[in-house]
Amino acid sequence: MDITVDLMVVSPGADDGEIAVVRLLSLLPAHWTWLHRATPSRIGLRITVADARPGEIRERVRAALAEDPALSAWSLTGD
């Protein structure tokens, strides 16, 4: 399953997108394959997971954002 997940800054004081994407990827499962693009206030991830539904992938990304206080200024778009 391939999905694209987009994130954006939702509060002041956020880490730059390049820093935030490194933090985020360190919290996601190691077997996931991804490509990223990052600007200071937006992150785009194209994630490939063989055995997951899009909702499961989004939920895992959402959980990773909640797990690290440094990512609290970031949110999935469409939520």
Side-chain angles (χ1 to χ4, degrees), residues 3-79:
I3 73 159
T4 299
V5 177
D6 293 306
L7 302 97
M8 65 180 193
V9 170
V10 293
S11 63
D15 285 337
D16 183 88
E18 287 290 341
I19 294 168
V21 77
V22 170
R23 287 180 180 277
L24 177 59
L25 293 174
S26 74
L27 298 171
L28 297 178
H31 70 279
W32 286 13
T33 303
W34 49 265
L35 296 171
H36 81 276
R37 65 186 184 288
T39 68
S41 62
R42 287 194 143 328
I43 298 170
L45 293 174
R46 181 167 178 87
I47 299 172
T48 303
V49 183
D51 57 350
R53 295 183 327 257
E56 292 172 307
I57 295 169
R58 287 182 63 82
E59 186 54 39
R60 184 60 188 107
V61 171
R62 192 176 295 108
L65 292 173
E67 185 175 330
D68 186 341
L71 296 173
S72 65
W74 289 87
S75 179
L76 287 169
T77 60
D79 278 357

